[in-house]
Amino acid sequence: MHGLVISMAIWGTVIGSIIGAWPTEILGRTYTLFLIGVLYVVSAIWSAEAGDEYQFMVARAVGGLGVGISTVTSPLYNSEISPPQWRGRLAGLFQFQICVGILIAYCSNAIIMALIGESRPEIAWRWMMGVAAVPASVYTFLSCGLPESPRWLITHRQDHDAALSVLQNVQPDASSEELQATVYAIQREADQDNDTASHDQFLSRRLARPIFLAITIGLFNQLSGINAILYFAPRVFEMAGLGAKNALMQSIGIGITNLVFTFLGLSLIDRLGRRTLLIIGTIGYIVTLLTCAFGFWARIYSIVPWALFGFIGAHAIGQGSVIFVYLAEIFPTKYRSKGQGLGSFSHWINAALISTFFPEVVDSTSPQFTFFMFAIFMMVALVWVVCCVPETKGVPLEEIGKVLGFDVDEDGGNTPILSEENGKLALASKNNHALTMDDEGDDSDDDVFVDEQIEMGKMNSGGAP
């Protein structure tokens, strides 16, 4: 029952990750973010007021539904409004804020336990759950002022002016020509996706590599045991010989470690790259998990808390900082929400399964066996990172296909780029002539050239320029 109550929120997250692509695409990124906040508020209040354990589980599942959708929408939204050189750090803020929330939750629980836990234990847990309605309400209110993703505006509404306005706000140092080139690149990618595949052909050979990466990065993230250790941290510390109160305080230490190393990971993700951080973090997993297993096996329990802190640090600087950034990068715009949903589903279904059975496995075998198995999984993960994971650091979203081999520019090359030709600014593609605008005030031949390009565009796209 302990495992089921804890994991019910994660099962809600699994469902949210499956359906999250639908509201993200149909309703838009920002409206979906607002609805997520509503789910958070309802879940917090309902959990605090639950009449029995079954109502409590349903209420937690509602909150999990919001979490699942947010793991699709939030990183995707962050990546789509971020300049390429800052995308890793800005998209990674999603994970950083999760760590802030975990730390605040641990501290909040400890404060509530100190104030009323011993005298009124029957209501202390209700306060622990219900207090979450406060930040949830603040988030819901603030989400009303978010600008819509420029890529969604172009792909779904063909609203180039609104998209350009958003890009100007988030990239104030970019020139108007660079912003226009970004708009054209987004539109060209959308056109190429429409030409190469229908909306129902997400599971295709063309996207086999990003699909494989999305599934495996979610799988290995959870096979480390990270969520089981986070959710059952007090129980793990008690197994290492700490009392319940000290175990709760050690959990706060885990939250602080998670936050500090996530901050470090985000500061390095656009310098060292995603792949390098994954290698560093996975090696850290292996060392710390084997240390935990040895500590329990040899009954040297004093090293277990330190090994767990090291494990959390390895996760935060590696998988924790990279996973949602990477998922938001490796798919073309048209399929990005589906790809994000697939990776999130892989992440959360494994989190749910491991968290559900973790207490039973530990009780029926031993802690050392459990940690040793996690270490074995991470050895396989290290081979996967070295052999299968490409680097996406600094690559514009519209050019990720060239890195992963599913080049969206399948007609031979029509992705617009800015170039300088004979003193003229050119918006060019590899096959078509450049749409050139000189700065000499002589427009005599420019209009004729533009008309030619419009006609060429109509032929290339079935009538629409």
Side-chain angles (χ1 to χ4, degrees), residues 81-92:
I81 65 171
S82 302
Q85 68 273 21
W86 292 93
R87 191 174 62 241
R89 273 168 277 188
L90 293 177

Side-chain angles (χ1 to χ4, degrees), residues 442-465:
D442 179 10
D443 297 331
S444 57
D445 59 347
D446 287 353
D447 290 341
V448 175
F449 181 75
V450 170
D451 289 340
E452 292 175 352
Q453 295 306 299
I454 290 176
E455 291 303 317
M456 184 178 294
K458 287 180 179 178
M459 289 186 291
N460 288 341
S461 58

Side-chain angles (χ1 to χ4, degrees), residues 104-176:
I104 292 174
Y106 280 145
C107 293
S108 172
N109 288 347
I111 291 170
I112 292 172
M113 180 63 73
L115 293 176
I116 61 175
E118 294 184 3
S119 60
R120 300 291 303 277
E122 72 279 5
I123 65 168
W125 69 269
R126 295 186 183 274
W127 279 97
M128 292 179 183
M129 303 304 300
V131 74
V134 176
S137 299
V138 173
Y139 160 80
T140 305
F141 173 76
L142 293 177
S143 66
C144 297
L146 292 174
E148 186 53 81
S149 161
R151 287 166 173 81
W152 187 85
L153 289 169
I154 292 173
T155 304
H156 291 271
R157 291 188 178 176
Q158 298 296 308
D159 194 341
H160 291 197
D161 291 338
L164 187 61
S165 177
V166 175
L167 288 171
Q168 287 171 338
N169 286 331
V170 299
Q171 301 183 50
D173 296 331
S175 66
S176 59

